[in-house]
Amino acid sequence: MNEPLSTSNSSEPASQRWPLIITLSAIITSLCVFLWEGYLLKEEPLLSVPDSYELWAKNRAKLASSNQCSMTIVGASRSQMALDLSILEKLGPSRPIQLSIMGSRILPVLENLAMDSNVKGTILVSFEENNFARIDGIGRAEPWTQKYQLEITEAHEDPAYFVIERALKSIIDELFMFRKDGGKPMDLLSQTMLNRYTYMDYERRIFADFNRTNAEDIYQKRIEHYIGQDPKHYHDPRWESDQLPRLNKAIEQLQVNGAKVVLIRFPSTKAIWQGEQIKYPREVYWDRLEATTKAITFHFTESPELMKVSLPDGVHPDFRDAPLISQIISQRVFSKTPLKETIEQCQQN
Amino acid sequence: MQFDSLTFVLFLAATCGLFYACRSVKSQKVVLLVASYLFYAAWNPYFTFLIVFSTLVDWFVADKIIHAQKASVKRNWLLVSLTSNLGLLGYFKYGGFLLDNFVTSMALMGIDYIPPDINIILPIGISFYTFQTLSYTIDAYRGERKQSASLLDFSMYVSFFPQLVAGPIVRAHDFLPQCSEKKVFNIDNLGWGSFLIVNGLFTKVVLSDTFLAPFVDEVYEGYRQAGTVQAWTAIFAFSGQIFFDFSGYSLCALGTAKLVGYTLPWNFHSPYSALGFSDFWRRWHISLSSWLRDYLYISLGGNRKGAFRTYVNLMITMFLGGLWHGASWQFVIWGVCHGTYLIVEHGLKKVVRIPKAWINQARLLLALITFFIVSLTWLPFRARSMDQVNTLLSTLFNFKHPTLIIYQEAEKILYIVILILMMFCFQWYCHQRTYRETITRLHWSVKSIALAFMLTCIILVSKSDERAFIYFQF
């Protein structure tokens, strides 16, 4: 029983030539890394910023000094891809702050904003039924908002280890191009050969270039996703009893704090919309929300132009079409009372 | 502190510098002890007191056992150690689980019991260091330890930072003798240690985190929509992920220990080339399976009390082995499955004889079957709920068309298949060779290129998002 386990032995044979091996491998590694860095500096390929809590929290922190002219976007991938920040800035009160989180729920973010009396201005909220009907998968919104709340309310301090690690990483991130999302050889390979088609910028807007991928295939899968499954899996009864009251409560609190909330249902293609109607009937979700909320609402079916826009994968636009969609939404939403007066005042100032 | 963090690189460099600057063996050990407590405190400083408490209790108890004359006194002191260690483990690891099951049982009896809102945080590595301290006391009780270790040596044995949070579970008789000599800087230790660390990081951050984990996460997250091909790919991808993740950690631990002149037990030996389940458990997480064998299975009577008791003992050992991994029914199922496989294998060995002419083909087939079943059995281990287990299990066999959208799915499946095949072939090649033999045989130029390749991949290929080692949660 007490026989020693198979162990690595410290008496390495002298012929291992470790000094030579270490030196040579260090030289080869440095050469590879610096050659790759040089290539990136020379070719300057389009690199995407990795989305992270730090980036999101940086945007979230801007709301501490928000005013009536501030504008914030809360949602998921639809609002991250469809809204062109420059168009919204031109037609709205100010340049928006993007707080959408891809693949995540909106309620944690809205509740987090509602808890903060400093949050003012216009808040554009992308309402997706599956955000509330989906039982599995909560995304990153919950952990990110919880972490943010901890950091600001409970004077929470990360252990020194995390602080040091973050500082070291940010130094390296700033020094090297390859640390950016898309800057690694595999990313570029995937971008060129495997049709990577989305990029994120520092403002957290996502650009989708569907020319780089087989959008038809993605579209087909999305159709199957909506039509090919038993709808009962997708209805969470907590929508009526818990989610809707919480959503309305958060909106009301935001309004008490001085914000104006706009709920927007972003467009889907005709086939997807039909599938969505099977899974998440409008009368159960949108109509019930519209009847009970105090927010301004806008559903894409109110606009014939939006029903015709191109959405290659069924729900997200190509980045070339995002300005048009942003323009249509802005014109419709910003003309509603009481936003219209606020925007006029902000634009005059 | 994670091995794959930049902070750890600085920490390790500083520790090694101070360690080799020391003039006496005692000061070297003090440096390592302080470094170990700092390493642990990086996550949660308060839990460092828990290790100190556990260390003091077991050192004191073992000393009492060693010096006690009467068997009853020894037994009483052993009970103190078991109560203290298993009590702490039970509270921190199984408190919430037991309470949930209690509430469910009460509800079944029609009693609506609302438990107090307790939020128990699991101290990292508690399962590992508890087993180490327990083994020391049990060895003393069995009379295998005649002399007490010094408090400094014992503290270092319990908290030695390279293996503190996720093993290997070191035995006192392997570790304590190494504490007696002053360590002198040795270029071979530096070379071999660095090679092990780089190899461990490569398997963890490149193979596991970059190539396998994202696909596994997507399928397990969207398990209701996953199709049959996606589910099977995720099953084998997780098989690779957990091996690369955990063996990567173990390699880093061995390498880090080697940098300061210590040798830790080998924790993996080509487990996916195992010929049957007894063989698998001789190759997978060796330090845990041998611990369970020596302190649980043998204590229960092992195979000395007839076939039926052997099977019962095997099942109890694997049941508790499963539960050791975490407080959930999925781990229990995983453990019971392995217990069943071992029992069936024991039974089959008595009746099935393979003709000598077929032995080579049969060996490969047996390895493939073992790998297949072991991979499938990881399903409850990885799942987060019984619903996930049931849904994915039915998806595996009902030829379901996927509605889960995974971008670049065909390419991802292709490289996962290639990676898993390569992993199996490499392990089959190393079936009867140790890792050290395989590496030592390589020409120095090949070693240099391999080291450079792994380092370059760690820097250029790995994703920047942090992913904790899977076994940290246990």
Side-chain angles (χ1 to χ4, degrees):
Chain A
M1 168 197 149
N2 276 348
E3 69 187 29
L5 299 167
S6 166
T7 55
S8 58
N9 199 321
S10 57
S11 56
E12 285 295 301
S15 63
Q16 293 294 295
R17 298 189 180 184
W18 285 114
L20 185 64
I21 293 169
I22 291 173
T23 313
L24 194 62
S25 57
I27 293 170
I28 298 172
T29 307
S30 310
L31 211 63
C32 290
V33 172
F34 284 106
L35 276 175
W36 181 252
E37 184 67 10
Y39 164 77
L40 292 178
L41 287 168
K42 187 167 171 264
E43 296 295 322
E44 293 184 340
L46 188 54
L47 300 182
S48 175
V49 177
D51 201 8
S52 62
Y53 166 73
E54 282 74 24
L55 204 59
W56 182 87
K58 209 169 160 183
N59 273 4
R60 170 66 184 83
K62 288 178 190 166
L63 291 178
S65 55
S66 60
N67 56 38
Q68 285 309 314
C69 294
S70 301
M71 182 157 50
T72 311
I73 303 167
V74 175
S77 58
R78 296 193 198 204
S79 49
Q80 259 183 312
M81 292 190 200
L83 294 179
D84 183 314
L85 304 189
S86 303
I87 299 288
L88 290 178
E89 183 183 16
K90 197 172 138 195
L91 301 174
S94 62
R95 193 166 183 85
I97 295 162
Q98 182 57 273
L99 288 185
S100 302
I101 305 171
M102 200 168 188
S104 278
R105 298 186 179 202
I106 56 167
L107 199 50
V109 181
L110 279 179
E111 287 180 331
N112 173 264
L113 296 182
M115 276 193 281
D116 185 351
S117 58
N118 293 318
V119 175
K120 296 191 169 45
T122 306
I123 302 174
L124 306 179
V125 181
S126 166
F127 177 81
E128 288 178 43
E129 297 82 355
N130 70 353
N131 224 280
F132 294 94
R134 198 174 58 190
I135 296 168
D136 53 312
I138 56 158
R140 291 169 291 177
E142 208 143 356
W144 284 8
T145 47
Q146 279 170 359
K147 190 169 181 197
Y148 187 81
Q149 205 56 34
L150 262 178
E151 282 178 2
I152 59 161
T153 57
E154 294 178 13
H156 168 83
E157 280 182 24
D158 274 339
Y161 157 65
F162 292 103
V163 178
I164 297 167
E165 186 64 20
R166 271 205 297 271
L168 289 171
K169 272 196 171 158
S170 73
I171 293 169
I172 297 204
D173 287 350
E174 279 175 31
L175 272 177
F176 296 105
M177 291 271 284
F178 69 78
R179 294 282 297 182
K180 287 188 176 179
D181 207 9
K184 303 210 155 54
M186 284 293 288
D187 294 335
L188 269 191
L189 189 76
S190 138
Q191 220 161 288
T192 50
M193 290 171 69
L194 307 178
N195 311 322
R196 177 192 166 124
Y197 67 94
T198 57
Y199 311 88
M200 201 181 81
D201 66 9
Y202 274 106
E203 285 184 291
R204 298 188 65 259
R205 186 193 156 188
I206 295 178
F207 297 78
D209 183 354
F210 283 99
N211 288 346
R212 290 173 175 267
T213 189
N214 185 355
E216 185 59 37
D217 186 41
I218 302 170
Y219 185 54
Q220 204 50 45
K221 281 207 167 159
R222 203 175 283 280
I223 296 271
E224 287 165 12
H225 173 80
Y226 283 108
I227 297 173
Q229 287 227 324
D230 184 354
K232 77 179 177 198
H233 287 312
Y234 287 82
H235 181 65
D236 187 344
R238 287 173 296 184
W239 160 244
E240 288 94 348
S241 61
D242 175 54
Q243 305 275 288
L244 180 60
R246 274 172 61 191
L247 181 61
N248 282 332
K249 196 179 161 198
I251 291 169
E252 281 164 31
Q253 186 57 50
L254 281 164
Q255 287 173 330
V256 168
N257 294 345
K260 293 178 183 73
V261 182
V262 186
L263 289 165
I264 303 170
R265 175 54 166 86
F266 279 77
S268 307
T269 58
K270 198 177 167 188
I272 294 284
W273 175 235
Q274 282 170 351
E276 286 172 332
Q277 283 310 289
I278 298 168
K279 283 204 170 317
Y280 323 114
R282 179 172 173 156
E283 60 273 19
V284 176
Y285 289 93
W286 180 262
D287 289 351
R288 211 161 284 177
L289 171 66
E290 201 171 32
T292 53
T293 186
K294 290 184 177 166
I296 300 161
T297 56
F298 172 71
H299 197 281
F300 79 95
T301 50
E302 289 174 31
S303 160
E305 301 141 284
L306 271 186
M307 291 182 74
K308 285 187 234 157
V309 290
S310 160
L311 301 164
D313 69 352
V315 293
H316 303 118
D318 187 274
F319 81 97
R320 298 168 194 89
D321 297 320
L324 174 67
I325 293 173
S326 306
Q327 194 174 348
I328 298 169
I329 291 176
S330 301
Q331 282 165 350
R332 288 278 182 161
V333 167
F334 296 156
S335 62
K336 297 197 178 202
T337 344
L339 275 184
K340 196 176 172 186
E341 298 83 59
T342 311
I343 291 165
E344 280 170 1
Q345 279 174 13
C346 293
Q347 286 178 339
Q348 279 168 10
N349 293 338
Chain B
M1 205 180 293
Q2 291 245 119
F3 286 151
D4 55 341
S5 66
L6 296 164
T7 321
F8 181 72
V9 177
L10 295 184
F11 168 83
L12 187 60
T15 305
C16 287
L18 275 173
F19 179 80
Y20 285 113
C22 290
R23 294 189 173 193
S24 69
V25 62
K26 195 173 178 183
S27 50
Q28 279 191 332
K29 285 188 277 194
V30 170
V31 165
L32 280 188
L33 185 64
V34 172
S36 297
Y37 287 148
L38 275 176
F39 177 86
Y40 194 75
W43 274 293
N44 190 328
Y46 302 109
F47 285 147
T48 314
F49 294 111
L50 213 59
I51 300 189
V52 174
F53 173 76
S54 201
T55 306
L56 290 174
V57 168
D58 278 283
W59 182 77
F60 179 77
V61 166
D63 190 58
K64 290 285 174 198
I65 290 175
I66 288 167
H67 293 105
Q69 302 299 322
K70 287 183 183 171
S72 60
V73 176
K74 285 178 192 273
R75 195 165 49 245
N76 287 344
W77 281 114
L78 179 68
L79 277 175
V80 171
S81 168
L82 289 174
T83 313
S84 137
N85 282 296
L86 299 179
L88 281 177
L89 194 62
Y91 173 75
F92 283 106
K93 196 158 179 170
Y94 305 104
F97 177 67
L98 291 174
L99 192 63
D100 286 349
N101 282 286
F102 177 72
V103 172
T104 311
S105 312
M106 296 299 268
L108 285 173
M109 290 188 281
I111 303 166
D112 193 16
Y113 172 66
I114 300 167
D117 189 19
I118 49 167
N119 182 23
I120 303 171
I121 300 168
L122 180 69
I124 208 158
I126 189 168
S127 313
F128 291 90
Y129 69 73
T130 301
F131 270 32
Q132 283 198 188
T133 53
L134 268 180
S135 71
Y136 179 80
T137 321
I138 297 172
D139 283 350
Y141 176 74
R142 287 176 174 174
E144 287 161 12
R145 173 152 292 282
K146 307 287 180 207
Q147 244 186 335
S148 286
S150 74
L151 183 58
L152 179 60
D153 286 7
F154 184 68
S155 305
M156 216 180 84
Y157 159 67
V158 178
S159 61
F160 188 49
F161 75 88
Q163 45 77 240
L164 174 59
V165 291
I169 300 166
V170 187
R171 304 290 182 83
H173 59 74
D174 277 333
F175 188 87
L176 291 173
Q178 299 182 55
C179 299
S180 55
E181 284 175 8
K182 183 178 180 288
K183 309 289 179 201
V184 183
F185 178 78
N186 176 333
I187 192 71
D188 287 337
N189 279 353
L190 175 72
W192 181 232
S194 307
F195 192 91
L196 290 173
I197 293 173
V198 171
N199 195 351
L201 289 178
F202 173 75
T203 59
K204 158 70 180 159
V205 300
V206 180
L207 301 182
S208 173
D209 291 0
T210 307
F211 287 105
L212 299 171
F215 190 90
V216 175
D217 290 350
E218 278 188 276
V219 173
Y220 276 83
E221 177 90 357
Y223 64 101
R224 287 175 192 279
Q225 289 92 48
T228 301
V229 174
Q230 290 172 337
W232 276 113
T233 311
I235 290 291
F236 287 104
F238 182 69
S239 208
Q241 184 197 343
I242 193 163
F243 170 73
F244 289 130
D245 186 287
F246 192 23
S247 68
Y249 179 88
S250 297
L251 285 176
C252 289
L254 262 72
T256 309
K258 188 55 72 185
L259 290 187
V260 285
Y262 283 79
T263 299
L264 297 181
W266 210 245
N267 218 10
F268 289 88
H269 177 35
S270 303
Y272 291 145
S273 71
L275 307 173
F277 299 96
S278 312
D279 193 25
F280 175 76
W281 283 105
R282 280 192 291 269
R283 294 164 177 274
W284 177 273
H285 201 173
I286 299 166
S287 63
L288 173 70
S289 49
S290 59
W291 195 101
L292 291 172
R293 180 197 64 205
D294 295 344
Y295 296 104
L296 186 60
Y297 178 70
I298 290 177
S299 299
L300 289 168
N303 58 2
R304 303 186 303 273
K305 295 184 178 176
F308 180 72
R309 270 300 297 271
T310 304
Y311 296 155
V312 171
N313 293 342
L314 273 175
M315 188 53 90
I316 293 172
T317 306
M318 294 317 291
F319 169 83
L320 292 174
L323 206 56
W324 175 88
H325 285 84
S328 89
W329 289 110
Q330 288 93 273
F331 290 119
V332 172
I333 291 172
W334 176 78
V336 168
C337 282
H338 274 280
T340 312
Y341 303 153
L342 288 170
I343 291 168
V344 171
E345 186 181 289
H346 269 250
L348 282 177
K349 270 182 184 168
K350 289 178 185 165
V351 289
V352 179
R353 289 277 176 273
I354 299 165
K356 275 194 174 175
W358 297 357
I359 208 90
N360 280 338
Q361 292 86 334
R363 282 165 62 86
L364 181 59
L365 187 66
L366 194 56
L368 282 168
I369 292 171
T370 311
F371 175 54
F372 177 82
I373 298 174
V374 165
S375 299
L376 195 59
T377 314
W378 286 125
L379 171 56
F381 192 95
R382 169 62 179 79
R384 294 288 167 263
S385 66
M386 284 310 295
D387 182 44
Q388 226 176 25
V389 177
N390 295 331
T391 308
L392 277 172
L393 205 55
S394 74
T395 303
L396 289 173
F397 299 102
N398 67 5
F399 302 103
K400 193 177 143 197
H401 188 67
T403 52
L404 174 70
I405 299 168
I406 297 178
Y407 294 112
Q408 298 158 1
E409 184 186 326
E411 293 82 358
K412 283 180 183 169
I413 290 178
L414 180 70
Y415 66 64
I416 287 170
V417 169
I418 293 171
L419 189 56
I420 298 300
L421 277 174
M422 283 170 66
M423 175 187 75
F424 181 82
C425 292
F426 183 73
Q427 296 202 13
W428 183 245
Y429 170 77
C430 294
H431 180 75
Q432 284 175 322
R433 297 175 181 88
T434 65
Y435 171 87
R436 194 175 156 273
E437 277 167 11
T438 312
I439 301 300
T440 311
R441 272 188 199 175
L442 297 174
H443 189 261
W444 66 267
S445 59
V446 180
K447 259 185 264 188
S448 307
I449 292 167
L451 196 59
F453 171 77
M454 291 189 292
L455 262 175
T456 309
C457 285
I458 292 166
I459 298 169
L460 288 183
V461 177
S462 63
K463 299 274 181 204
S464 49
D465 55 331
E466 279 178 35
R467 193 182 279 270
F469 285 93
I470 294 175
Y471 266 68
F472 276 22
Q473 62 186 300
F474 307 138

